[in-house]
Every structure is written in C-alpha cells, then in structure tokens.
C-alpha cells in the first residue's frame, strides 16, 4: 500500500500584512494539490485587497504593494469563503493538508473569516475532518537535536528541495509539500505506519512540547513573549480584531 507521503497531498500558504494573527490581513493565498510525487500540481491562487495599508516591511518580503493590490486584488469576503471551501474540499477528499507553521496561516484565515464572513474555520470541518501536516513541527520532533534555524528556506536546503520564488504563496506551498514528502522518506521507519489522522493527533502534543521548550528559553533570556501551545489553530481571543 502506498505510504501517505507518496500519495495525494494538498498544501496551503498565505502572504500577509504582518505577523500578528489577530490584527494582520491576508494579501495572497494559494492551495496546491498534487496526486503523487512528480505529477503536475494543480494550483489555486487568490490576490486580496485587504482594505488596510500594507506596511513597507511586508511589501519588502512578498513584493505586493498597496497600489498593486488595490488594482488587482479582490475584496476579502468572497476570497475567504473560497479558500475555506477549497480546504474543506481537501478534507472531504481525505487529502492531508500541508501547512508550514500551521498555527499562523490557519489562525489568520480563521480571523479573516470571523472578520468578513461572521463565521469560523472550524465550522467548515464539522462534517469532514482536516488532517494537517506541519513540516516545522515534524522536523523539530524527528530531528530535534539538529542546530540551526527551521524556516521554510532552511528546511528546503536541508531536505534538498528546490524553492523558486520564495514568499510567493504558491511557491512556498509547493515547497512545503515537497519537504513533507522528503521528510517522510528520510524518516520512513518512524512514519510509514502512521496515518495522517494519527500524525495530526501526535503533532498536537509535539507542538505543545516544542512551545513549552521555547517559552522556557524565552524566560531564561528575559523575554516576555508568550508562546501558544495550541496547534493547528489558536483559540479566538476575546479582544481579537
């Protein structure tokens, strides 16, 4: 039987106005679907006029300016609906969804749905379960003592994955998908007997342990930053924007 990392996978990524999931906005997004390694991926893209100014620091990362988004981006409400619908479609087809640093992208999408659709991301998965594969969590658990950073570019270099056009949502989504396939092969002895559903549950605990470790490191270094243990979606805050 084909192992999950050699079978159908989907991936999701966003580009945003910043790094605060409660206040920042999505400016572009992509869902990439690939039926098997080496097959042509099917890509769905969205460009969004967020309705708020895009900071120069964000434009410096992804290259999307206010002027470009105002001319070419769509209003957020229909886009957020279409993205959630596409993710629900993957769940209904039993395709695992690869999301690099899932609590960021999925939580940001949830907040956009609440902001523009008066709904939530979880509401889309009441009849079908979404199984998330987060290359960051998987890599940190399976190769926990490796030194160095673990951004997508770092993981691509480590696992021999080509990333063309970093910080383009579609390019990043496809690269994350390829990293998960490469990671699955490298750690096949530990992963091949686990289903995506089992891995989803395990990652919840792995991420929580990783977050607690990072929180302890922050405490030792005198940093007051709070690290959420929730994965793959952070709960809504009472004061969320």
């Amino acid at each position: 039987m084909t192992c999950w990392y050699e079978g159908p996978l989907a991936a999701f990524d966003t580009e945003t106005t910043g790094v605060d999931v409660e206040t920042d906005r999505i400016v572009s997004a992509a869902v990439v679907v690939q039926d098997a390694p080496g097959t042509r991926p099917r890509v769905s893209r969205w460009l969004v006029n967020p309705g708020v100014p895009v900071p120069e620091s964000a434009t410096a990362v992804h290259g999307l300016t206010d002027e470009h988004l105002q001319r070419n981006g769509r209003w957020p409400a229909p886009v957020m609906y279409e993205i959630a619908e596409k993710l629900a479609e993957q769940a209904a087809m039993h395709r695992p969804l690869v999301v690099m640093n899932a609590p960021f992208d999925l939580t940001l999408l949830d907040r956009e749905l609440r902001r523009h659709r008066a709904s939530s991301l979880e509401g889309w998965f009441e009849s079908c379960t979404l199984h998330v594969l987060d290359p960051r969590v998987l890599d940190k658990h399976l190769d926990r003592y490796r030194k160095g950073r673990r951004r997508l570019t770092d993981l691509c270099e480590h696992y021999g994955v080509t990333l063309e056009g970093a910080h383009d949502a579609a390019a990043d989504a496809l690269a994350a998908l390829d990293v998960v396939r490469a990671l699955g092969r490298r750690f096949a002895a530990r992963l091949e007997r686990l289903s995506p559903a089992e891995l989803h549950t395990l990652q919840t605990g792995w991420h929580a342990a990783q977050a607690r470790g990072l929180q302890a490191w922050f405490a030792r270094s005198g940093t007051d930053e709070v690290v959420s243990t929730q994965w793959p979606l952070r709960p809504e805050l009472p004061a969320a924007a």
Side-chain angles (χ1 to χ4, degrees):
M1 187 174 69
T2 302
C3 295
W4 59 264
Y5 49 82
E6 302 291 2
L9 292 176
F12 172 60
D13 190 70
T14 66
E15 297 300 328
T16 69
T17 60
V19 297
D20 188 333
V21 296
E22 303 299 340
T23 59
D24 280 305
R25 312 297 174 91
I26 293 173
V27 296
S28 70
V31 173
V32 175
V33 179
Q34 187 183 47
D35 294 326
T39 61
R40 187 179 182 86
R42 302 186 296 279
V43 181
S44 300
R45 302 172 184 265
W46 296 268
L47 193 66
V48 186
N49 178 353
V52 298
V54 180
E56 291 183 3
S57 57
T59 298
V61 173
H62 48 60
L64 298 171
T65 65
D66 271 329
E67 181 181 7
H68 179 74
L69 293 171
Q70 288 170 12
R71 286 185 176 182
N72 302 287
R74 297 168 58 203
W75 291 115
V79 171
M80 300 312 150
Y81 181 93
E82 291 171 14
I83 296 172
E85 185 178 47
K86 179 64 70 171
L87 297 188
E89 178 185 312
Q90 308 316 307
M93 295 294 290
H94 306 290
R95 291 192 192 103
L97 183 70
V98 175
V99 190
M100 176 72 184
N101 191 19
F104 178 78
D105 292 85
L106 295 182
T107 303
L108 192 56
L109 175 58
D110 175 77
R111 302 314 190 249
E112 289 279 55
L113 286 167
R114 294 176 186 273
R115 183 178 293 120
H116 298 291
R117 302 290 310 189
S119 62
S120 70
L121 186 58
E122 288 182 327
W124 283 88
F125 303 104
E126 292 176 349
S127 60
C128 54
T129 303
L130 182 68
H131 298 140
V132 177
L133 300 170
D134 188 332
R136 186 170 182 268
V137 174
L138 291 169
D139 176 70
K140 288 182 73 174
H141 178 78
L142 295 165
D143 197 0
R144 67 181 67 185
Y145 299 113
R146 188 178 81 249
K147 294 183 178 180
R149 304 186 72 171
R150 300 184 193 237
R151 299 165 302 182
L152 180 59
T153 51
D154 304 313
L155 298 187
C156 286
E157 181 178 359
H158 182 70
Y159 289 101
V161 169
T162 300
L163 172 55
E164 297 180 356
H167 300 297
D168 169 82
D172 286 356
L174 180 58
L177 189 153
D178 287 340
V179 165
V180 164
R181 291 200 190 281
L183 190 151
R185 296 183 193 113
R186 183 170 299 188
F187 297 99
R190 299 167 65 182
L191 295 177
E192 62 184 356
R193 290 184 175 85
L194 295 171
S195 69
E198 291 169 326
L199 272 173
H200 181 104
T201 300
L202 287 168
Q203 286 171 100
T204 302
W206 295 346
H207 176 270
Q210 293 162 9
R212 288 192 293 269
L214 181 58
Q215 188 74 75
W217 185 85
F218 280 150
R220 291 194 298 272
S221 61
T223 302
D224 58 3
E225 183 174 346
V226 177
V227 183
S228 173
T229 60
Q230 299 297 309
W231 182 98
L233 181 65
R234 298 177 190 171
E236 184 186 21
L237 298 177

